[in-house]
Amino acid sequence: LDGTLVATDTLHEALLAVLKRQPLALLRALPMLREGKAPFKRRIVELVQIEPASLPYRPEVLTFLEEERSRGTRLVLATASDERTARDVAEHLGIFDEVVASDGARNEKGHIKAERLRSLSADGVFDYIGDSAADLPVWEAARNAYAVDPAPAVLARLDAINPPTRVFAGPGSRASNLLRAFRPHQWAKNLLLFVPLLTSHQLLDPAGLIAATIGFLAFSAMASAGYVLNDLLDLEADRMHPVKRERPFAAAVLTPRDGLIAFGGLALLGLALALAFLPTKFVVLLIVYFVATVSYSAFLKSKLLLDVILLAGLYTLRVLAGGAAVDVVVSQWL
């Protein structure tokens, strides 16, 4: 299911949905990981249900499965995801004969999945389509191995144990899609950090220019972190929008895991630049900006009028931060 039939991870998407709707419930669920992944997955799907119709299915994989089914091949949806999610997907697509999934007690992954698939066939023979290192034990046990957008290291290991019959290509360059997710065109707003330098007639001062530029980079990194988080929390809504569904995370050319890593990396980069080169006042304002943008993405953007006030305040905050970066007092008039 995850990464193969759909170009995302349904557990990661469910976690993001819970984080947005019931953050305290997610914190209460985390200790369940001590009991194992299967009970934790079951708790998450009890808190939120992923709408199967909104998932980003891989069309080339679906076409392949439909062709196999038309030839009489028995299709089994075998996944480590919770069986509630797997059964919802299977019911939505209507092409699977059986579902093998984690049941809240046992995590259907790796060697466990391989043994289960062997038991479903009279002669123990099956073909398998997967995508990640976790699938290597299953590929090794399979007659024919099919790989979907595997990482180069995974493909090399697969070639050594069971050369794939077919490799389904991925969506393209991850780097270019990440850059698109950062929305660099929005960084123009951060030029407001140069306003105090301009209005104090110090625009040509080298030290001031360097400080303002570092402040611009710090705010741009934090802004991109906010855009990434916003897109991660709005996956389901974006996929139903005629334009937003083309965003990298909604279109699943980037995974939620990619997004969480990018979010953390960008936030740390912005904070590191501020701590290393700029005054404490700027650091405080940058943190306020970060908290405000995260709050906006999480819930404030749905609050009438409050969202407008917050967005207007963020423009003012940029001017104040520019003054703090170059040690210029921003007047009430400005």
Side-chain angles (χ1 to χ4, degrees), residues 2-320:
D2 299 319
T4 304
L5 181 61
V6 296
T8 187
D9 187 298
T10 53
L11 176 62
H12 293 168
E13 296 212 3
L15 286 170
L16 289 168
V18 176
L19 178 63
K20 181 177 182 179
R21 300 171 197 171
Q22 304 179 61
L24 293 179
L26 178 58
L27 288 175
R28 288 193 291 268
L30 289 176
M32 294 187 69
L33 282 169
R34 292 196 296 264
E35 303 172 27
K37 290 184 178 179
F40 177 72
K41 292 174 184 178
R42 172 56 54 88
R43 178 58 183 149
I44 295 303
V45 299
E46 287 172 350
L47 292 171
V48 65
Q49 286 184 306
I50 295 295
E51 174 53 55
S54 72
L55 288 172
Y57 296 95
R58 294 188 188 270
E60 66 279 14
V61 175
L62 270 179
T63 299
F64 172 73
L65 293 175
E66 288 164 354
E67 290 171 351
E68 287 294 317
R69 183 175 176 82
S70 69
R71 287 196 284 266
T73 303
R74 181 184 178 198
L75 299 182
V76 178
L77 180 57
T79 175
S81 292
D82 190 83
E83 64 181 353
R84 296 187 183 184
T85 301
R87 291 192 185 283
D88 285 346
V89 170
E91 184 178 343
H92 170 69
L93 294 177
I95 61 173
F96 292 101
D97 299 289
E98 192 164 346
V99 172
V100 170
S102 299
D103 59 4
R106 187 168 74 164
N107 197 38
E108 289 285 345
K109 194 172 186 178
H111 293 287
I112 294 175
K113 185 191 288 186
E115 290 304 316
R116 182 71 180 278
L117 291 176
R118 274 200 190 103
S119 71
L120 293 178
S121 173
D123 53 6
V125 174
F126 65 92
D127 298 339
Y128 185 73
I129 312 178
D131 71 290
S132 68
D135 294 312
L136 287 167
V138 196
W139 275 321
E140 188 173 16
R143 176 183 56 187
N144 292 311
Y146 298 86
V148 179
D149 191 22
V154 172
L155 185 58
R157 293 173 67 185
L158 176 57
D159 276 329
I161 59 173
N162 188 0
T165 303
R166 178 177 174 182
V167 176
F168 295 85
S173 169
R174 178 168 288 154
S176 62
N177 284 311
L178 268 175
L179 182 61
R180 190 157 61 94
F182 295 167
R183 302 191 209 175
H185 60 283
Q186 298 283 7
W187 296 347
K189 299 172 185 176
N190 298 324
L191 292 173
L192 286 169
L193 273 83
F194 291 90
V195 169
L197 202 63
L198 176 66
T199 56
S200 63
H201 309 289
Q202 299 179 47
L203 192 57
L204 299 181
D205 174 58
L209 271 175
I210 291 172
T213 300
I214 294 173
F216 171 85
L217 293 174
F219 258 74
S220 296
M222 284 296 193
S224 288
Y227 293 133
V228 168
L229 180 64
N230 179 79
D231 289 355
L232 288 174
L233 295 178
D234 282 353
L235 282 174
E236 196 168 333
D238 284 354
R239 286 175 183 151
M240 293 185 286
H241 191 278
V243 176
K244 294 180 181 179
R245 66 185 179 189
E246 300 301 326
R247 287 176 174 175
F249 296 107
V253 293
L254 294 175
T255 67
R257 183 173 178 272
D258 295 331
L260 291 173
I261 293 172
F263 168 73
L266 287 165
L268 288 174
L269 174 61
L271 185 60
L273 286 171
L275 287 170
F277 300 106
L278 297 173
T280 302
K281 185 179 179 182
F282 178 90
V283 176
V284 171
L285 289 170
L286 182 67
I287 292 172
V288 170
Y289 172 83
F290 178 71
V291 171
T293 54
V294 168
S295 301
Y296 175 81
S297 295
F299 57 91
L300 290 180
K301 65 181 176 182
S302 62
K303 306 298 181 183
L304 188 63
L305 191 59
L306 187 59
D307 64 330
V308 179
I309 294 171
L310 177 64
L311 290 177
L314 291 178
Y315 285 99
T316 306
L317 193 63
R318 288 178 173 93
V319 177
L320 291 171

